[in-house]
Amino acid sequence: MIPVSAYAAQNPTSPLAPYHFERRELRPHDVLVDILFSGVCHSDLHQARNEWNDSIYPMVPGHEIVGKVTGLGSDAKKFKIGDIAGIGVMTDSCRQCKPCRDYMEQYCVEGMTGTYNGYERDKTTMAQGGYSTQIVCDERWVYRIADTLHLPGVAPLLCAGITTYSPLRYANVKPGDKVAVAGLGGLGHMAVKFAVAMGAEVTLLSTSSSKEADAKRLGAHYFVLSTDAAAMKKLESHFDVVLDAVSGNHDYELYLKLLGLQGKMLVVGLPGEDPKLSPFALIKNRRCIIGSMIGGTVETQEMLDFCASHNITSDVEVIPIQYINEAYERVLRKDVKYRFVIDMESLK
Ligand code: NAP
Ligand code: ZN
Ligand code: ZN
């Protein structure tokens, strides 16, 4: 077994604190990764604080992982020692069902194996995430990273990146499309970058007037305060796509009404409260609501290659692990530009 240092949540209310556990010995197709950087996703907060009512403790959060390959199983072929590699929100799946055979493992009929807050496929080993010094993962769920990219800025691509890239691709966003992104946080700022790179005309819908200049710097063509009822009214039936990356409880209809004929609302944000929705707002313009969960292994590699060719990374604030509880408070105050990333050197 491989001893690992980490930070863990022990219950929904205590601050995260130092924790030690062991990773499994390498299986033939496993890769051992020394973690360099680990992004802080709002899903880490939701789960550390049991906001989805499914938390298992002790919990080591973290599913935006970039590191260096330091060990290989006997049959692992994808990497060599010293390569830079990434790991995201899942680390395994049944590998047999139709979605798994189609490399959409996040929709595995038996359920994917999450990087943390669950169990490995043996149903007994707790899966623990990236706020830790090392991780072991089957090579199928470990991604190649171009070493030309700014590595702290790569970590968030493994969740915030793929979670926004996948639905924008599914909606076939193309030059000339009008796309709105709701919520300028970790996911939202990646959605803006991707939609702009795909050639869309992008509007950022935010509750924070302080983010207007950043939205434009990130490439958004327009910025609208979503609390400004008159401005939102003017945008009714205007967009082809609205991507909802909002973490807190909110009015879904406010965004749905912005869709024009056959427009698509892409829901990726996961607040704890269920939405209320009028069917009248849905039938008008034959609107469509599409949920989307991260992305499969092939699409994740495609997204990372897209980022390398378009020089896209996340805008990050690098922190030591000891700052994690303060960082969580700032995420809740919407005070993040636009992803906290933990430098794992601080734990070594
Ligand atoms: P984040 O960095 O905290 O950003 C969320 C942003 O949403 C905030 O900065 C804020 O932007 C806006 N917001 C927050 N509360 C709001 C409210 N009550 N009403 C309106 N706007 C509000 O979060 P994130 O890491 O990007 O994650 C966003 C959501 O996606 C989370 O719920 C997370 O769990 C979920 N998620 C889903 C998947 C998936 O596979 N579907 C994957 C990863 C994360 P403004 O200041 O601009 O208003
Ligand atoms: Zn995430
Ligand atoms: Zn499966």
Side-chain angles (χ1 to χ4, degrees):
M1 301 292 274
I2 302 163
V4 170
S5 298
Y7 259 53
Q10 295 287 348
N11 58 58
T13 52
S14 303
L16 270 64
Y19 177 66
H20 299 274
F21 68 102
E22 293 181 323
R23 299 283 186 192
R24 65 170 187 253
E25 290 293 344
L26 299 197
R27 296 178 191 144
H29 289 280
D30 277 349
V31 178
L32 173 64
V33 174
D34 247 29
I35 302 177
L36 297 171
F37 298 103
S38 196
V40 177
C41 179
H42 204 115
S43 301
D44 299 348
L45 278 83
H46 288 310
Q47 292 174 94
R49 298 179 176 194
N50 196 25
E51 289 171 1
W52 297 338
N53 298 310
D54 67 351
S55 294
I56 305 166
Y57 300 97
M59 179 197 300
V60 178
H63 57 208
E64 296 184 335
I65 299 166
V66 168
K68 193 173 271 191
V69 174
T70 54
L72 293 168
S74 54
D75 295 328
K77 299 269 186 303
K78 195 165 157 185
F79 297 93
K80 49 185 198 322
I81 301 291
D83 282 352
I84 299 296
I87 297 172
V89 179
M90 57 179 170
T91 57
D92 210 339
S93 69
C94 89
R95 311 177 189 201
Q96 313 288 331
C97 70
K98 173 95 171 66
C100 283
R101 292 199 309 276
D102 291 343
Y103 298 97
M104 290 194 279
E105 304 91 337
Q106 74 276 33
Y107 303 118
C108 173
V109 296
E110 289 184 13
M112 67 177 194
T113 301
T115 303
Y116 69 88
N117 193 26
Y119 292 91
E120 295 184 4
R121 303 233 55 96
D122 64 9
K123 298 192 169 67
T124 53
T125 309
M126 282 185 87
Q128 299 290 19
Y131 300 0
S132 61
T133 48
Q134 287 158 299
I135 187 164
V136 174
C137 183
D138 185 288
E139 62 183 350
R140 174 164 170 177
W141 285 268
V142 186
Y143 307 100
R144 291 191 195 86
I145 305 289
D147 50 16
T148 50
L149 293 175
H150 173 245
L151 290 186
V154 168
L157 303 179
L158 278 307
C159 176
I162 185 59
T163 301
T164 50
Y165 180 90
S166 181
L168 291 171
R169 277 284 186 237
Y170 184 70
N172 189 30
V173 168
K174 55 189 182 310
D177 282 359
K178 292 189 174 67
V179 173
V181 173
L184 192 59
L187 269 59
H189 93 290
M190 291 311 308
V192 170
K193 291 188 185 206
F194 286 137
V196 168
M198 291 170 190
E201 180 187 287
V202 179
T203 301
L204 197 280
L205 309 171
S206 175
T207 59
S208 310
S209 55
S210 61
K211 294 181 182 174
E212 177 163 5
D214 281 343
K216 300 271 173 68
R217 180 179 54 75
L218 292 164
H221 304 91
Y222 303 100
F223 176 93
V224 174
L225 210 51
S226 53
T227 48
D228 179 342
M232 291 294 277
K233 180 88 188 150
K234 269 196 210 150
L235 290 176
E236 278 186 11
S237 300
H238 180 74
F239 293 101
D240 301 297
V241 168
V242 175
L243 186 144
D244 178 346
V246 170
S247 57
N249 297 327
H250 62 284
D251 175 8
Y252 283 71
E253 242 176 67
L254 184 70
Y255 303 129
L256 185 67
K257 284 181 177 165
L258 305 185
L259 292 173
L261 187 63
Q262 303 187 136
K264 301 181 181 81
M265 176 155 159
L266 309 172
V267 174
V268 293
L270 294 168
E273 197 176 277
D274 292 340
K276 282 193 206 68
L277 215 60
S278 153
F280 292 94
L282 196 55
I283 64 165
K284 183 174 165 118
N285 287 341
R286 199 199 245 172
R287 293 168 174 142
C288 173
I289 301 178
I290 300 170
S292 191
M293 197 199 309
I294 50 168
T297 52
V298 168
E299 195 174 40
T300 300
Q301 189 64 59
E302 176 193 306
M303 178 275 308
L304 288 164
D305 297 344
F306 181 89
C307 288
S309 62
H310 289 78
N311 201 22
I312 290 175
T313 52
S314 172
D315 289 24
V316 299
E317 181 174 338
V318 178
I319 58 167
I321 188 88
Q322 294 77 10
Y323 187 75
I324 190 65
N325 295 299
E326 175 70 24
Y328 274 20
E329 292 310 316
R330 284 184 51 196
V331 168
L332 288 177
R333 292 199 299 269
K334 307 179 200 171
D335 174 21
V336 47
K337 294 189 168 183
Y338 278 88
R339 199 57 138 188
F340 288 110
V341 170
I342 305 162
D343 182 347
M344 242 5 113
E345 196 59 41
S346 60
L347 193 55
K348 287 173 188 161

